[in-house]
Amino acid sequence: MHEQDAPIRLPALRRAEQRPERILYVARAGFGALPSGSGTILVFMMPQLLSLGFLVWAIWWPYPASMHAFVRAILCSIVLAGAVVTVAAMLIRRNRGFISAVVQAPFISITVTDRRMLWTVPWEKQPLIEIGRRRMLRGVLGSVDRRGRGNAAVELVAGDPAADIDGHIHFDRLPQVARFVGAIESW
């Protein structure tokens, strides 16, 4: 059973638009939806994690033989853990929106119907974003790999608040990207 064949429960439309919607495209980019720099960030985090591991090893090796050494190892571990938690809390507090977007990215499903485009996550009833058909002008196909994953953009009406400076919303590494653009263009 393909992902697009699975039954999808769309959030309700306004009462005036109660005729059934026709689903044209459904996809979840998965880990391909992560921002391009995510791998680089992980690579730069590895030395930090290795340093922390080395410090924990240095604190506890050899295993403390006396009660004084044991208490000192526990206190050093608490100070080290406190420093790590403090730095992590500062980074999370300053970048809360970005971090939540990166954590949610692999779970976001993009659904294109005959009336709107939705970004949804499985654990929320309401869509994260919903853009009506009237706000979208056309789809633009970008580069596509041999498996059909690729980049696309949707051009929105002038002045739309969801658009970037060029009036587009960009999608990276979407599965079956040609079907996505075709669904946008079929309106």
Side-chain angles (χ1 to χ4, degrees):
M1 181 182 215
H2 288 93
E3 204 173 353
Q4 63 268 16
D5 297 335
I8 297 171
R9 300 197 57 185
L10 295 174
L13 289 166
R14 289 176 290 175
R15 184 168 280 182
E17 299 174 347
Q18 287 300 313
R19 69 179 169 82
E21 285 183 275
R22 193 168 51 99
I23 296 172
L24 306 173
Y25 175 84
V26 176
R28 190 175 76 219
F31 288 109
L34 291 173
S36 304
S38 300
T40 305
I41 290 171
L42 288 176
V43 166
F44 281 105
M45 282 178 56
M46 289 309 293
Q48 315 310 324
L49 295 174
L50 290 173
S51 298
L52 284 172
F54 176 76
L55 287 172
V56 169
W57 173 77
I59 290 170
W60 288 95
W61 186 84
Y63 188 79
S66 67
M67 183 55 84
H68 175 69
F70 186 75
V71 169
R72 186 179 64 216
I74 288 177
L75 289 175
C76 288
S77 296
I78 290 171
V79 168
L80 182 62
V84 168
V85 167
T86 301
V87 169
M90 287 181 355
L91 289 173
I92 289 170
R93 188 177 65 221
R94 286 184 171 207
N95 303 301
R96 186 181 320 258
F98 175 74
I99 291 171
S100 93
V102 168
V103 169
Q104 284 182 352
F107 304 103
I108 293 176
S109 290
I110 298 172
T111 305
V112 178
T113 72
D114 58 348
R115 289 188 232 167
R116 58 190 173 155
M117 184 168 42
L118 303 132
W119 286 258
T120 57
V121 287
W123 56 84
E124 300 229 1
K125 289 184 178 186
Q126 295 299 318
L128 298 171
I129 303 173
E130 178 180 341
I131 297 179
R133 181 175 67 186
R134 289 182 210 97
R135 293 171 55 190
M136 292 184 258
L137 297 176
R138 67 184 185 103
V140 180
L141 184 61
S143 60
V144 181
D145 68 10
R146 57 182 159 67
R147 294 185 339 198
R149 279 189 171 276
N151 305 328
V154 175
E155 186 178 347
L156 301 178
V157 296
D160 193 290
D164 65 5
I165 195 162
D166 296 324
H168 295 93
I169 296 177
H170 297 272
F171 299 90
D172 297 328
R173 298 179 297 277
L174 272 181
Q176 301 173 343
V177 69
R179 281 190 59 231
F180 170 76
V181 172
I184 299 293
E185 293 290 319
S186 71
W187 294 342

